[in-house]
């Protein structure tokens, strides 16, 4: 599905990623972990073409995408749920979903508003509310729903449960579990390690811009020492 091979990404002269490589298989959930500032968001930005890598390659479904514009990458079937949600404040839930709806990937069973409301019923109750009127959790659900409306086969989620009340976090994790069951590939950055690993097939840990540690379910090597060493928890 997705392969990053030895990518290096810079902000001006500052190199944020150094020879970072990772793989997301079809239908797999991969947890991308690491302490603050280690490069997780930059990996996501590199995949989407928002901060294109200076070196290395990104391929998606067998095609090289690291030189493409973000909108072309999205149209190939990669949905982004960005850090901070980036909700349109003056569009209603309905308008937001309709504005982006498209079946670029030719899915035989494309997402509709009703289908995303079945995953996040709370959004249906708020369908005529403006983005800025929603709670943080509702905005997060809308960010995920918005990404689904382009019918992606891979979803990138950057801190989707950050700052949310436990009940809303649970609803988000339930939604992601449902997407996994339906065969969606997910690359997920999140600080809730326990819930993240519960839905993941594999995890990779980043340190100083490189992938330094990997494990796969049932994560028998993911010990307290590993957590302390790489995540500081
Ligand atoms: P966090 O969990 O805090 O979001 P992260 O693991 O996602 O951290 P990144 O945001 O990818 O890390 O940051 C990686 C490095 O790139 C850090 O050293 C950060 O300071 C730097 N960086 C990130 N964004 C920019 C930017 N716009 N300009 C310059 N440097 C940046």
């Amino acid at each position: 599905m997705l392969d990053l091979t030895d990518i290096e990404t810079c902000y001006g002269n500052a190199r944020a990623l150094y020879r970072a490589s990772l793989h997301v298989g079809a239908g797999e959930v991969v947890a991308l972990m690491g302490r603050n500032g280690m490069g997780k968001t930059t990996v996501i930005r590199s995949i989407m073409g928002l901060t294109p890598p200076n070196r290395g390659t990104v391929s998606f479904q067998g095609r090289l995408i690291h030189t493409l514009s973000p909108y072309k990458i999205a149209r190939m079937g990669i949905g982004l749920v960005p850090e901070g949600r980036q909700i349109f404040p003056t569009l209603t839930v309905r308008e937001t979903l309709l504005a982006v709806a498209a079946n670029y990937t030719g899915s035989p069973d494309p997402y509709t508003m009703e289908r995303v409301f079945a995953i996040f019923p709370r959004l249906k109750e708020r369908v005529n509310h403006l983005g800025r009127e929603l709670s943080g959790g509702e905005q997060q659900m809308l960010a995920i729903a918005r990404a689904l409306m382009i019918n992606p086969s891979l979803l990138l989620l950057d801190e989707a449960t950050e700052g949310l009340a436990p009940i809303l976090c649970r609803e988000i994790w339930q939604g992601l579990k449902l997407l996994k069951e339906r065969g969606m590939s997910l690359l997920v950055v999140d600080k809730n390690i326990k819930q993240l690993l519960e839905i993941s097939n594999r995890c990779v840990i980043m340190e100083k811009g490189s992938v330094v540690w990997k494990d796969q379910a049932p994560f028998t090597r993911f010990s307290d020492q590993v957590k302390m060493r790489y995540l500081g928890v």
Side-chain angles (χ1 to χ4, degrees):
M1 178 64 61
L2 179 80
D3 272 298
L4 273 61
T5 308
D6 291 336
I7 65 165
E8 299 195 6
T9 301
C10 301
Y11 295 102
N13 292 328
R15 189 166 56 184
L17 296 185
Y18 180 70
R19 301 197 68 172
S21 299
L22 67 85
H23 170 78
V24 182
E28 252 188 1
V29 179
V30 176
L32 179 55
M33 303 194 289
R35 287 194 299 264
N36 288 351
M38 292 298 158
K40 305 175 299 293
T41 297
T42 307
V43 164
I44 286 181
R45 293 182 60 84
S46 301
I47 297 167
M48 282 313 297
L50 294 164
T51 314
N54 306 62
R55 287 196 186 174
T57 59
V58 182
S59 76
F60 176 62
Q61 294 177 328
R63 288 178 60 189
L64 292 175
I65 61 167
H66 56 275
T67 55
L68 300 182
S69 314
Y71 81 93
K72 286 192 177 156
I73 294 172
R75 286 182 180 190
M76 288 179 71
I78 304 184
L80 172 64
V81 182
E83 190 171 24
R85 302 157 201 152
Q86 314 285 339
I87 290 301
F88 306 121
T90 55
L91 294 187
T92 63
V93 168
R94 181 196 307 279
E95 287 165 346
T96 299
L97 297 177
L98 289 180
V100 301
N103 189 6
Y104 299 116
T105 53
S107 164
D109 191 15
Y111 275 98
T112 58
M113 280 208 290
E114 284 311 314
R115 282 191 70 204
V116 296
F117 290 159
I119 301 173
F120 297 119
R122 247 172 221 271
L123 284 183
K124 188 168 186 173
E125 296 162 21
R126 309 285 273 157
V127 66
N128 291 317
H129 285 76
L130 297 177
R132 65 165 180 249
E133 295 170 343
L134 305 179
S135 72
E138 290 164 348
Q139 286 189 351
Q140 193 61 63
M141 289 172 197
L142 181 57
I144 299 173
R146 179 181 60 186
L148 290 176
M149 291 301 277
I150 68 157
N151 290 284
S153 32
L154 169 68
L155 206 53
L156 312 175
L157 295 113
D158 197 351
E159 305 282 8
T161 65
E162 192 169 31
L164 301 186
I167 182 166
L168 292 161
C169 289
R170 263 200 302 282
E171 288 178 31
I172 303 268
W173 289 115
Q174 271 164 10
L176 298 184
K177 196 162 163 246
L178 215 65
L179 294 176
K180 179 188 181 185
E181 284 164 10
R182 292 177 184 173
M184 177 87 73
S185 305
L186 304 170
L187 178 62
V188 189
V189 174
D190 207 284
K191 294 203 171 62
N192 292 300
I193 298 171
K194 186 169 173 286
Q195 289 91 334
L196 179 55
L197 292 185
E198 267 170 26
I199 67 157
S200 297
N201 301 96
R202 291 189 298 114
C203 76
V204 299
I205 299 183
M206 300 196 64
E207 193 173 59
K208 295 181 186 161
S210 300
V211 172
V212 290
W213 199 86
K214 299 180 184 182
D215 195 7
Q216 54 190 36
F219 305 112
T220 46
R221 295 193 298 118
F222 193 77
S223 60
D224 286 346
Q225 286 91 325
V226 168
K227 271 196 262 182
M228 183 53 80
R229 162 77 179 78
Y230 293 113
L231 307 177
V233 290

